[in-house]
């Protein structure tokens, strides 16, 4: 049976030491969030995740969701867990107090989200989508819509969905066909078929609020003709109570590779009553607010799943005995040594650990900037934070989920053949991690967003929000002996980013395929460099505390940083070479030869 223990010590390190929590709690509206309160929220979240959600992870995977005549049932235990989740106030955690939320600072909320994903990523999708719907309605909804929907979304009494995908269009939403025809009473009749809708139907909440993308009769072609509508499963009466069933039905659920306890629904909208959210034809803009929130959440799914896979790989590597150490017997009382003695097993474990802790630190940085964006009164600080979060969103989404899958696969490798066998429960993590590379925009599309949109935006200003703090850090620590072996690799990786950026900018003007050819490698190169920076920052804090008996946590930080710099970061050189080879090798290959 798999195990999971929330990594609270590391979370506190990131929140309080790496990024000073006092700066966050000093922001307007955060006055009541003392460090002690934040820590106790984390502890409660750990208890809930470990004690309630994690025990349902494997059974939820085995049982999956079921569909019968339009009714979808979640696996045994999910309803009770969801009720307890709402009663514990977890759905309200990150929401505005005006609508019944708790306004927990984003860095702490992100750590809680990681725990949910580690414990049960399929469960986490239900409140996750609801939070996305809350964000979109709060941003683009009318005052009346906010009043009508937000409090019940925040309390978890109702859940939310995002209905974009149609059978013939996923990435290219410009082709979507769902129609919205105006009614005399100001509402619209929505007709069309959506597929792959997470939480489109289920038995956890009394109402489901769909946010649906559709075209008005006079809509221009393409993405500029898409509007967003709010379509409740049950229509609401004047007094807010539930009225008749709307014409939105689930016609089937998908049978899929992983996240089996999350209902992925085919939805039919047959003249369903909906209401326009925001302006006509501006639906993509409103939906992007939701998608950006979701993209970061999906990145955290990658990290969360990786953490549990890692913990189990460590436990197995301690326990499993096989072969003898190359440098002499280590467990003389046993028939063989634990596999942890073998360099290759240690390589796998340290690879997982270095990526996970690096990603958690990077997530902490992005979350801090998002909190500044949400609550700071300083316009310049908000702009800088917005730039940084925009730049990093595709990196967090794509790199964290690519690594989540790689880490889950390394965990299976650590188990040997036993990892492939269902009873051990570790293969589930590979299957559950795989989806996060696909939805919310595939990782290939994230890379295009980074290179094609974020890099050139505002004359390259977004990029400087990353480069400047790294350069400042390097300058400030030039004479810091503790960082002597960490700054040169960071500097070199940064140079690789700069050279790659220059190469793409120079060549993309004459050949747009250069962007698409370079983008995935560039995103990884950039992401690894961002990890190198947060690792160097972690060393700056950990190295002075790494002596003495109680200092194992800090010593491990410094040692993991060394592993990252020496064994993982050198990939940036190969990525740069691949980028500089250009697009010709792939584009000159004849289509018919494939
Ligand atoms: C389990 C699950 C849950 C989902 N939940 C939801 C949900 O709640 N709501 C919702 O609306 N959707 C949801 N989706 C849909 C998901 O977002 C899409 O599957 C995804 O965006 C990709 O679209 P597609 O599957 O049509 O692939 P396609 O768009 O057909 O892409 C196929 C391949 O081509 C590549 N590609 C496409 N266009 C380009 C381009 N311009 N440049 C380079 N490469 C390109 C892609 O990267 C991909 O590798 C879910 C999907 C799954 C499987």
């Amino acid at each position: 049976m798999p195990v999971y223990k929330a990594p609270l010590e590391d979370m506190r390190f990131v929140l309080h030491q790496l990024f000073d929590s006092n700066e966050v709690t000093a922001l307007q509206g955060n006055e009541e969030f003392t460090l002690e309160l934040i820590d106790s929220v984390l502890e409660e979240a750990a208890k809930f995740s470990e004690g309630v959600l994690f025990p349902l992870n494997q059974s939820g995977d085995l049982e999956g969701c079921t569909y019968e005549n339009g009714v979808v049932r979640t696996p045994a235990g999910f309803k009770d867990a969801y009720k307890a989740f709402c009663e514990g106030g977890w759905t309200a955690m990150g929401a505005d107090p005006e609508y019944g939320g708790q306004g927990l600072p984003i860095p702490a909320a992100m750590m809680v989200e990681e725990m949910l994903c580690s414990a049960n990523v399929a469960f986490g999708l239900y409140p996750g989508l609801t939070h996305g719907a809350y964000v979109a309605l709060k941003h683009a909804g009318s005052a009346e819509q906010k009043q009508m929907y937000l409090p019940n979304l925040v309390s978890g009494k109702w859940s939310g969905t995002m209905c974009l995908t149609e059978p013939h269009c996923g990435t290219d939403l410009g082709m979507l066909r769902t129609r919205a025809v105006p009614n005399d009473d100001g509402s619209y009749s929505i007709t069309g078929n959506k597929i792959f809708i997470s939480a489109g139907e289920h038995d956890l909440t009394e109402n489901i609020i769909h946010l649906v993308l559709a075209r008005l009769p006079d809509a221009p072609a393409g993405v500029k003709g898409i509007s967003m509508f709010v379509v409740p499963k049950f229509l609401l009466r004047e007094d807010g109570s539930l009225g008749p069933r709307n014409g939105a039905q689930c016609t089937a659920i998908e049978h899929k590779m992983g996240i089996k306890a999350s209902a992925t629904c085919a939805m039919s909208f047959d003249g369903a009553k909906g209401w326009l959210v925001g302006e006509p034809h501006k639906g993509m803009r409103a939906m992007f607010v939701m998608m950006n929130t979701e993209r970061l959440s999906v990145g955290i799914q990658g990290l969360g799943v990786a953490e549990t896979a890692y913990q189990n790989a460590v436990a197995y590597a301690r326990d499993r005995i096989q072969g003898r150490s190359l440098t002499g017997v280590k467990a003389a009382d046993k028939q063989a040594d634990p596999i942890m003695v073998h360099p290759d097993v240690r390589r796998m474990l340290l690879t997982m650990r270095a990526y996970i802790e690096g990603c958690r630190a990077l997530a902490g940085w992005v979350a801090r900037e998002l909190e500044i964006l949400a609550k700071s009164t300083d316009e310049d600080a908000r702009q800088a934070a917005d730039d940084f979060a925009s730049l990093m969103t595709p990196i967090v989404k794509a790199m964290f989920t690519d690594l989540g899958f790689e880490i889950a696969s390394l965990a299976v490798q650590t188990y040997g053949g036993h990892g492939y066998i269902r009873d051990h429960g570790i293969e589930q993590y590979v299957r559950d991690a795989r989806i996060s590379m696909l939805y919310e925009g595939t990782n290939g599309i994230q890379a295009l967003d980074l290179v094609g949109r974020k890099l050139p935006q505002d004359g390259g200003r977004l990029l400087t929000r990353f480069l400047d703090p790294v350069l400042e850090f390097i300058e400030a620590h030039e004479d810091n002996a503790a960082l002597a072996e960490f700054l040169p690799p960071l500097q070199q990786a940064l140079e690789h980013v700069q050279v790659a950026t220059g190469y793409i900018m120079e060549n993309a003007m004459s050949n747009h395929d250069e962007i698409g050819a370079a983008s995935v490698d560039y995103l990884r190169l950039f992401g690894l460099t961002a990890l190198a920076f947060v690792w160097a920052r972690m060393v700056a804090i950990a190295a002075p505390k790494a002596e003495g008996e109680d200092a194992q946590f800090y010593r491990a930080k410094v040692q993991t940083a060394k592993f990252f710099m020496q064994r993982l970061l050198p990939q940036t050189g190969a990525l740069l070479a691949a980028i500089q080879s250009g697009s010709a090798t792939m584009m000159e290959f004849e289509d018919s030869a494939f």
Side-chain angles (χ1 to χ4, degrees):
M1 283 290 280
V3 291
Y4 171 64
K5 189 111 193 66
L8 289 178
E9 190 175 15
D10 198 45
M11 289 177 166
R12 281 194 292 261
F13 173 76
V14 171
L15 285 180
H16 304 328
Q17 297 193 57
L18 188 59
F19 304 106
D20 186 357
S21 281
N22 290 311
E23 283 174 21
V24 168
T25 52
L27 290 168
Q28 207 170 30
N30 284 351
E31 296 79 7
E32 67 172 284
F33 289 103
T34 59
L35 270 47
E36 291 72 27
L37 181 59
I38 289 176
D39 282 351
S40 69
V41 171
L42 293 186
E43 272 158 33
E44 285 306 310
K47 264 191 231 157
F48 192 85
S49 303
E50 294 164 6
V52 179
L53 299 181
F54 187 61
L56 296 175
N57 191 45
Q58 208 176 3
S59 59
D61 177 62
L62 286 171
E63 187 183 334
C65 291
T66 52
Y67 174 86
E68 203 181 352
N69 296 328
V71 176
V72 175
R73 289 195 175 80
T74 53
F78 268 53
K79 262 174 109 160
D80 287 344
Y82 185 77
K83 194 163 168 272
F85 189 76
C86 296
E87 282 168 3
W90 297 110
T91 52
M93 172 180 73
D96 191 331
E98 193 183 338
Y99 303 104
Q102 294 168 10
L104 184 69
I106 295 168
M110 214 179 246
M111 297 295 173
V112 175
E113 212 170 328
E114 185 201 313
M115 291 185 225
L116 303 182
C117 294
S118 290
N120 196 326
V121 70
F123 178 94
L125 277 172
Y126 295 98
L129 264 300
T130 304
H131 187 69
Y134 157 85
V135 170
L137 275 171
K138 183 164 177 277
H139 171 77
S142 64
E144 194 192 351
Q145 286 169 341
K146 288 182 198 176
Q147 228 36 64
M148 200 180 261
Y149 297 109
L150 295 188
N152 284 334
L153 287 174
V154 169
S155 70
K157 197 170 170 193
W158 300 347
S159 66
T161 72
M162 51 193 283
C163 300
L164 290 73
T165 307
E166 298 182 6
H168 64 289
C169 76
T171 302
D172 188 356
L173 290 169
M175 293 195 289
L176 78 78
R177 294 183 190 140
T178 298
R179 286 173 295 119
V181 179
N183 298 321
D184 294 340
D185 62 358
S187 68
Y188 293 80
S189 289
I190 315 286
T191 303
N193 293 313
K194 298 283 180 183
I195 59 163
F196 299 167
I197 305 307
S198 298
E201 182 60 59
H202 56 79
D203 56 359
L204 301 180
T205 58
E206 64 176 42
N207 204 359
I208 301 175
I209 310 304
H210 304 288
L211 291 182
V212 184
L213 292 187
R215 282 184 187 290
L216 291 164
D218 61 343
V223 283
K224 295 206 168 118
I226 296 174
S227 307
M228 186 161 90
F229 298 86
V230 57
V231 183
K233 172 179 163 183
F234 286 100
L235 294 166
L236 303 181
R237 296 202 180 90
E238 290 261 308
D239 63 358
S241 64
L242 296 191
R245 183 77 199 247
N246 202 354
Q249 297 285 343
C250 171
T251 51
I253 57 171
E254 303 296 343
H255 302 283
K256 52 196 195 294
M257 177 179 177
I259 55 164
K260 288 175 190 270
S262 162
T264 308
C265 304
M267 298 295 300
S268 162
F269 293 89
D270 187 10
K273 230 175 178 187
W275 287 265
L276 184 67
V277 179
E279 291 174 55
H281 316 314
K282 298 277 182 341
M284 283 307 284
R285 205 185 287 170
M287 195 53 97
F288 255 105
V289 178
M290 177 169 188
M291 277 159 70
N292 281 335
T293 306
E294 293 297 316
R295 282 177 177 176
L296 292 168
S297 292
V298 172
I300 300 301
Q301 284 173 24
L303 171 60
V305 170
E307 172 67 34
T308 315
Y310 166 68
Q311 288 188 17
N312 284 281
V314 170
Y316 192 81
R318 280 192 208 289
D319 195 48
R320 175 76 172 167
I321 56 164
Q322 210 70 195
R324 286 294 183 194
S325 160
L326 296 170
T327 50
V329 171
K330 297 288 184 300
D333 56 328
K334 298 201 173 106
Q335 239 185 322
D337 286 331
I339 58 170
M340 197 177 247
V341 303
H342 304 306
D344 186 52
V345 172
R346 299 174 85 84
R347 172 191 66 78
M348 292 193 279
L349 297 179
L350 276 161
T351 299
M352 296 183 225
R353 184 184 179 106
Y355 281 142
I356 288 169
E357 292 184 10
C359 287
R360 185 172 296 124
L362 185 54
W365 185 9
V366 176
R368 180 176 164 273
E369 298 302 315
L370 285 171
E371 185 66 8
I372 290 169
L373 173 62
K375 296 192 183 139
S376 175
T377 47
D378 176 342
E379 221 18 73
D380 291 343
R382 294 184 68 243
Q383 182 64 58
D386 193 16
D387 288 351
F388 180 77
S390 300
L391 178 72
M392 284 295 166
T393 297
I395 295 173
V396 169
K397 196 283 178 179
M399 184 175 72
F400 285 25
T401 59
D402 281 350
L403 291 178
F405 180 69
E406 285 172 32
I407 289 166
S409 181
L410 279 174
V412 167
Q413 197 69 19
T414 307
Y415 276 68
H418 298 269
Y420 201 69
I421 304 302
R422 216 169 179 183
D423 295 352
H424 284 281
I426 200 73
E427 52 82 46
Q428 182 188 344
Y429 293 92
V430 178
R431 291 186 287 103
D432 282 356
R434 190 62 184 85
I435 182 59
S436 54
M437 299 156 75
L438 295 164
Y439 56 23
E440 288 310 326
T442 62
N443 285 0
I445 297 301
Q446 304 301 320
L448 281 178
D449 178 44
L450 174 66
V451 179
R453 288 183 55 220
K454 303 293 168 61
L455 286 188
Q457 200 174 317
D458 295 311
R461 191 184 69 212
L462 273 57
L463 184 61
T464 63
R465 306 296 190 185
F466 172 74
L467 296 181
D468 290 352
V470 181
L471 291 168
E472 277 163 29
F473 177 87
I474 291 173
E475 205 186 320
H477 288 273
E478 253 169 8
D479 301 325
N480 184 346
L483 283 174
E485 64 179 291
F486 297 95
L487 292 189
L490 169 62
Q491 238 158 346
Q492 191 179 43
L494 193 68
E495 207 178 294
H496 291 159
V497 170
Q498 287 166 318
V499 174
T501 310
Y503 173 86
I504 297 169
M505 292 307 145
E506 242 169 63
N507 291 281
M509 296 298 257
S510 55
N511 179 5
H512 288 357
D513 274 339
E514 289 291 328
I515 295 176
S519 53
V520 165
D521 289 328
Y522 183 86
L523 186 144
R524 180 60 73 97
L525 163 58
F526 199 132
L528 286 170
T529 307
L531 293 185
F533 176 49
V534 290
W535 267 117
R537 284 185 66 158
M538 289 197 273
V539 170
I541 293 162
K545 301 178 180 174
E547 303 296 327
E549 267 178 32
D550 301 331
Q552 195 189 35
F553 174 83
Y554 296 106
R555 258 197 315 280
K557 272 275 171 244
V558 177
Q559 286 169 333
T560 312
K562 270 187 203 178
F563 179 87
F564 178 82
M565 296 290 182
Q566 292 174 26
R567 301 290 301 214
L568 301 176
L569 191 59
Q571 292 171 70
T572 59
L575 289 163
L576 175 62
I579 291 166
Q580 287 176 318
S581 75
S583 63
T585 47
M586 35 196 121
M587 301 319 286
E588 286 171 9
F589 195 85
E590 290 166 47
D591 285 6
S592 58
F594 275 112

